[in-house]
Amino acid sequence: MNWFLGILGAVILFTLFALVKNYIPHDFSKTTYQRVVFIPGIKTPEWAVKGWEVYLRHHFKGKELVVIRDRYHYKNEADMLRMKSKVMDIIKDGTSTALITHSYGGIVAVASIQADKTGETNIERVVALAPAFDKDFRDLFVSQEQIGYTREKIEVPMVTLCGAFDTVVPCKSTLFPGAREGKKIWVEHMGFLLPQIFGGAKVLEEMR
């Protein structure tokens, strides 16, 4: 019983420490982008999207926030094209924008920018969390072709953050031509859906 209470206490202390660390305010007053957009990966549950929205609203009070709420799958072409259309509508309206993406959301973002070069002017930066960019992900080939994604370099500053324990999209699979490799986050793939606890502060550092 004592060992259980000890483990429970350690978990509670870690969670409290992480919450405090990830909620410390960051200064974004010197950033020039006006809008922050979050693009989720496939099959992202509503609670996770809502959690990201709450987290980003806390930190980006002076900026417009768009969180794309659309549950999609790469095996459904209509889903993919709908997501791409939503992102393209956002990036081509002339508003200076920063993108945060998770998993397949990185592919959607890149494909949208490649399809409309105005995105290279309007997008100031892309912070891609565990993006599935690896050319050897053969099960993604069809969907990548459908959405118009290629590994052609985009003229937008991009950083990729990977999870040290991620077996879905390992760190070596997040590389993209011209993108900078950011710090590893000590989390697995789904852990990126909890920025309040795992890696939120590191994401914010890349947004400054």
Side-chain angles (χ1 to χ4, degrees):
M1 189 64 175
N2 288 337
W3 64 265
F4 174 77
L5 292 176
I7 292 175
L8 180 61
V11 170
I12 292 173
L13 286 175
F14 167 80
T15 301
L16 290 174
F17 173 79
L19 286 169
V20 171
K21 177 182 178 181
N22 290 318
Y23 269 94
I24 293 174
H26 285 242
D27 182 10
F28 296 104
S29 61
K30 295 181 180 180
T31 58
T32 55
Y33 54 86
Q34 300 168 285
R35 176 170 58 196
V36 176
V37 177
F38 177 71
I39 307 173
I42 65 168
K43 299 191 296 183
T44 302
E46 173 62 22
W47 64 262
V49 177
K50 181 62 178 178
W52 262 101
E53 181 177 20
V54 170
Y55 187 71
L56 295 176
R57 285 200 186 283
H58 172 75
H59 286 288
F60 294 97
K61 293 182 174 67
K63 299 185 185 294
E64 178 188 353
L65 175 63
V66 177
V67 175
I68 297 181
R69 314 179 97 86
D70 196 336
R71 195 173 172 90
Y72 67 104
H73 198 284
Y74 68 85
K75 292 184 179 180
N76 187 313
E77 183 176 1
D79 283 358
M80 303 299 304
L81 296 179
R82 184 179 66 249
M83 279 293 294
K84 180 179 177 181
S85 177
K86 287 185 176 183
V87 176
M88 289 185 67
D89 285 345
I90 291 169
I91 68 176
K92 69 183 182 182
D93 74 352
T95 303
S96 179
T97 299
L99 303 180
I100 300 175
T101 74
H102 177 238
S103 194
Y104 204 98
I107 290 179
V108 175
V110 169
S112 301
I113 295 170
Q114 290 173 335
D116 188 337
K117 292 300 183 179
T118 59
E120 294 187 343
T121 301
N122 298 332
I123 304 301
E124 284 205 14
R125 71 188 69 192
V126 178
V127 178
L129 313 178
F133 289 146
D134 196 331
K135 64 181 182 301
D136 293 326
F137 281 148
R138 300 190 180 280
D139 55 335
L140 302 183
F141 282 2
V142 172
S143 65
Q144 290 174 352
E145 183 175 334
Q146 290 171 340
I147 203 173
Y149 164 86
T150 73
R151 286 182 58 80
E152 178 184 352
K153 179 181 177 182
I154 58 175
E155 297 303 322
V156 175
M158 178 164 60
V159 59
T160 61
L161 301 179
C162 68
F165 307 117
D166 194 338
T167 57
V168 178
V169 184
C171 288
K172 66 178 183 178
S173 300
T174 64
L175 306 181
F176 188 83
R180 176 172 61 84
E181 295 179 65
K183 298 177 181 177
K184 287 184 181 179
I185 295 178
W186 297 94
V187 71
E188 48 76 55
H189 197 67
M190 295 302 289
F192 284 104
L193 299 180
L194 292 171
Q196 297 89 345
I197 300 176
F198 301 109
K202 290 184 179 180
V203 175
L204 297 176
E205 287 174 11
E206 299 293 350
M207 294 292 285
R208 291 191 295 182

